[in-house]
Amino acid sequence: MPIHRNRGSRDGRRPRGPRGRDPVVVVGAGLSGLACALHLLGAGRDVVVVEREDHPGGRAGRLDLDGFRIDTGPTVLTMPDLLDEALGAVGESVHERLDLVPLAPAYRAAFADGSTIDVHTDRAAMAAEVLRVAGPREAVGYLRLREWLTRLYRIEMRSFIDAQFDSPLDLVRPDLLRLAALGGFGRLAPAVGRRVRDERLRRIFSFQSLYAGVPPDRALAAYAVIAYMDTVAGVYFPRGGMRAVGDALAAAAAKAGGVLRHGESVTRLERSGDRVTAVLTDQGERLPCDQVVLTTDLPAAHRLLGHRARRPVAHRFSPSAVVLHLGTDRTWDSLAHHTISFGGAWRRTFEEIIGEGRPMSDPSLLVTQPTATDPALAPEGRHLLYVLAPAPNLAAGRIDWDAEGPRYRDRLVATLEERGLSGLGSSIRTERLVTPADWARQGLAYGTPFSLAHTFAQTGPFRPGNTVPGTANAVLAGCGTTPGVGVPTVLVSGKLAAARVLSRTGGGR
């Protein structure tokens, strides 16, 4: 559903309410910005959203190429209840705005020994699959693991994810002891390994930590909550592609009275003392604001605010990714909607990406085939593949991606052909390669779309907060602030940012 350019009055404002307030200006129509806008609109605030692209979605981007409708950002959608919560703030629901298809299996995991495991979110179906591939002991272990993941999630969501932090003392809550008792402050790989011994199952329930920027051997066990979202809560796909999520949120915001200004970049913030008084755009517009919410990449937000983070240790950014978008004239029976193609190497993979700053020699890849669920995303008789290869960010690696990218593309295609996608190279009818250098050209720090890594020193109250010292009316949202990286967490970050605004100003007009 395309979103028209909704500008409101010339200065981008709805008429002031009876209190004479200027609107809240949200910079960025990504998922966090749109969620924030919906929560603010639902609380009665006037909201203007400014977005540099000509469409909503932010990092959930889009590319239309030779009749293929390509999602360029996240492809895995979990926790749709968080979308429902944002839409519910303005009296709508996710089922009214989106056609969500539950994926079964959520993933297919393919291993170097030729075995495959379908990852089901249904308890009985997954227990049966584990029994089939690994035997009764591992099936019992899976059920223990699932129970542990569920208990972790319940504690973390209410007290550590959907929660504001102003200092480390905010960690001292009753659930902190419960989380510790569950082993949440141990290491992820051993915690999973105590419940399932099969190496394939250990990978399935721990690979997600790479997207948080930390190897499973070093990641906090608390980050198993990401595996809960993937393997217990369920994976969904919106018909029309992931772009439909941004369109749905933006349409609901516009219907609720929000002003959406697409195709405008914010160039400067006008300040008076410790307050931001207006947002200035490259279209020569000056947008007065009562509060401003910045959802840009964290360094970009700090530059706009003239703020420099004061930390004893510099921020550490997550690994990046090489993404290869392929439009093909055939498909393969071995592919599910999401297929994780694991290489034989495992620990070596993390050392190469994070420690050595070089591409994986035996890559583990996420291959998404959205046309398996929605054929309308490609021309008739065509298929769409999204191949994601984790890669070092530009700080960790010294790779000339403009030179290396085409060679690495050929290696990825050859690897997938060796793993069963025979004839892939000759089937390609259109393609687009995205490397860390391309992410950097989009303005993402160190060429990573995954922002700050989730190390202990960058988690919870130690992660950059959503308020900025020295600025009385600016709030941050997005993956660089709390609670962190991923579609569910950025939706929560938008909600938390809205709560900050409302705590400062009250809810009504």
Side-chain angles (χ1 to χ4, degrees), residues 70 82 163 292 311 313 315 333 367 416-417:
I70 298 169
L82 294 173
V292 63
R311 293 173 59 90
V313 180
H315 286 136
D333 292 340
V367 182
L416 289 171
E417 288 187 329

Side-chain angles (χ1 to χ4, degrees), residues 26 28-30 49-58 261-265:
V26 177
V49 182
V50 185
E51 167 58 46
R52 69 180 180 180
E53 302 294 338
D54 61 2
H55 53 77
R261 302 176 66 101
H262 292 103
E264 291 189 63
S265 292

Side-chain angles (χ1 to χ4, degrees), residues 5 58 78 178 217 227 230 253 307 351 383 393 397 435 446 469 497:
R5 192 176 178 112
T78 62
R178 298 184 182 99
D217 285 340
D230 277 1
H307 176 75
E351 179 59 28
H383 305 272
N393 65 39
T435 72
Y446 302 106

Side-chain angles (χ1 to χ4, degrees), residues 61-318:
R62 61 186 68 181
L63 171 67
D64 293 329
L65 189 64
D66 299 329
F68 293 87
R69 303 179 69 207
I70 298 169
D71 289 324
T72 61
T75 62
V76 178
L77 178 62
T78 62
M79 309 298 292
D81 55 303
L82 294 173
L83 288 171
D84 203 44
E85 183 179 26
L87 290 165
V90 294
E92 300 201 32
S93 77
V94 70
H95 301 293
E96 293 170 334
R97 286 287 178 181
L98 290 166
D99 181 6
L100 294 182
V101 181
L103 298 183
Y107 297 95
R108 175 166 294 149
F111 298 91
D113 64 2
S115 64
T116 62
I117 299 176
D118 281 353
V119 181
H120 297 279
T121 54
D122 177 79
R123 182 179 185 273
M126 188 59 190
E129 179 72 351
V130 174
L131 177 66
R132 179 186 71 82
V133 300
R137 185 183 67 181
E138 293 297 88
V140 172
Y142 159 72
L143 294 174
R144 291 174 53 226
L145 176 61
R146 183 185 177 100
E147 174 62 23
W148 178 68
L149 292 173
T150 302
R151 293 171 67 194
L152 273 181
Y153 170 77
R154 288 172 179 165
I155 290 172
E156 290 186 50
M157 178 55 81
R158 69 185 177 225
S159 291
F160 303 103
I161 297 175
D162 191 2
Q164 303 280 22
F165 288 102
D166 293 306
S167 84
L169 292 176
D170 292 333
L171 272 175
V172 184
R173 301 170 177 177
D175 276 340
L176 182 66
L177 294 177
R178 298 184 182 99
L179 183 60
L182 284 173
F185 297 107
R187 298 301 174 191
L188 175 61
V192 172
R194 283 192 293 272
R195 292 162 175 90
V196 290
R197 298 183 183 180
D198 189 289
E199 179 63 24
R200 296 167 299 175
L201 295 173
R202 292 183 180 190
R203 291 190 189 187
I204 286 171
F205 290 99
S206 65
F207 81 91
Q208 298 89 348
S209 74
L210 181 58
Y211 302 110
V214 188
D217 285 340
R218 298 206 300 268
L220 289 176
Y223 283 107
V225 71
I226 308 174
Y228 168 88
M229 295 175 183
D230 277 1
T231 65
V232 178
V235 177
Y236 297 79
F237 185 73
R239 292 198 187 277
M242 289 292 288
R243 67 179 66 189
V245 176
D247 285 346
L249 297 180
K255 182 180 176 182
V259 176
L260 305 174
R261 302 176 66 101
H262 292 103
E264 291 189 63
S265 292
V266 172
T267 56
R268 190 164 67 86
L269 302 179
E270 186 179 282
R271 296 183 63 145
S272 176
D274 64 355
R275 294 189 64 80
V276 177
T277 55
V279 172
L280 283 68
T281 80
D282 62 354
Q283 302 298 308
E285 299 282 359
R286 178 183 181 275
L287 309 177
C289 61
D290 177 56
Q291 303 276 317
V292 63
V293 179
L294 301 173
T295 73
T296 58
D297 204 36
L298 186 65
H302 284 164
R303 283 193 297 271
L304 284 171
L305 290 166
H307 176 75
R308 178 172 294 180
R310 294 177 175 85
R311 293 173 59 90
V313 180
H315 286 136
R316 177 180 155 190
F317 281 75
S318 294

Side-chain angles (χ1 to χ4, degrees), residues 413-496:
V413 171
T415 296
L416 289 171
E417 288 187 329
E418 292 168 2
R419 295 180 184 177
L421 303 192
S422 59
L424 173 61
S426 61
S427 76
I428 297 170
R429 293 296 170 262
T430 193
E431 66 181 277
R432 179 67 57 89
L433 178 70
V434 183
T435 72
D438 296 308
W439 297 120
R441 282 188 278 266
Q442 293 179 33
L444 300 179
Y446 302 106
T448 175
F450 303 117
S451 193
L452 298 183
H454 282 271
T455 60
F456 179 79
Q458 294 178 168
T459 295
F462 307 112
R463 197 169 182 82
N466 58 11
T467 60
V468 181
T471 307
N473 66 331
V475 180
L476 304 181
C479 56
T481 184
T482 53
V485 178
V487 172
T489 41
V490 299
L491 291 169
V492 172
S493 83
K495 174 187 172 184
L496 295 177

Side-chain angles (χ1 to χ4, degrees), residues 291-445:
Q291 303 276 317
V292 63
V293 179
L294 301 173
T295 73
T296 58
D297 204 36
L298 186 65
H302 284 164
R303 283 193 297 271
L304 284 171
L305 290 166
H307 176 75
R308 178 172 294 180
R310 294 177 175 85
R311 293 173 59 90
V313 180
H315 286 136
R316 177 180 155 190
F317 281 75
S318 294
S320 183
V322 172
V323 177
L324 181 57
H325 302 286
L326 300 175
T328 68
D329 63 9
R330 60 163 295 187
T331 187
W332 293 262
D333 292 340
S334 60
L335 291 178
H337 186 112
H338 295 298
T339 301
I340 310 166
S341 176
F342 286 105
W346 185 237
R347 290 180 178 85
R348 180 66 180 158
T349 289
F350 297 101
E351 179 59 28
E352 287 172 337
I353 296 171
I354 298 173
E356 300 172 7
R358 62 189 184 93
M360 297 174 286
S361 58
D362 184 15
S364 290
L365 308 171
L366 171 64
V367 182
T368 295
Q369 184 184 213
T371 45
T373 303
D374 189 353
L377 297 173
E380 186 174 357
R382 298 288 193 258
H383 305 272
L384 187 57
L385 300 182
Y386 168 110
V387 182
L388 184 147
N393 65 39
L394 298 182
R398 297 292 183 266
I399 301 166
D400 180 355
W401 281 107
D402 291 331
E404 178 62 23
R407 291 191 288 269
Y408 194 59
R409 174 266 183 210
D410 292 344
R411 285 174 55 194
L412 291 177
V413 171
T415 296
L416 289 171
E417 288 187 329
E418 292 168 2
R419 295 180 184 177
L421 303 192
S422 59
L424 173 61
S426 61
S427 76
I428 297 170
R429 293 296 170 262
T430 193
E431 66 181 277
R432 179 67 57 89
L433 178 70
V434 183
T435 72
D438 296 308
W439 297 120
R441 282 188 278 266
Q442 293 179 33
L444 300 179

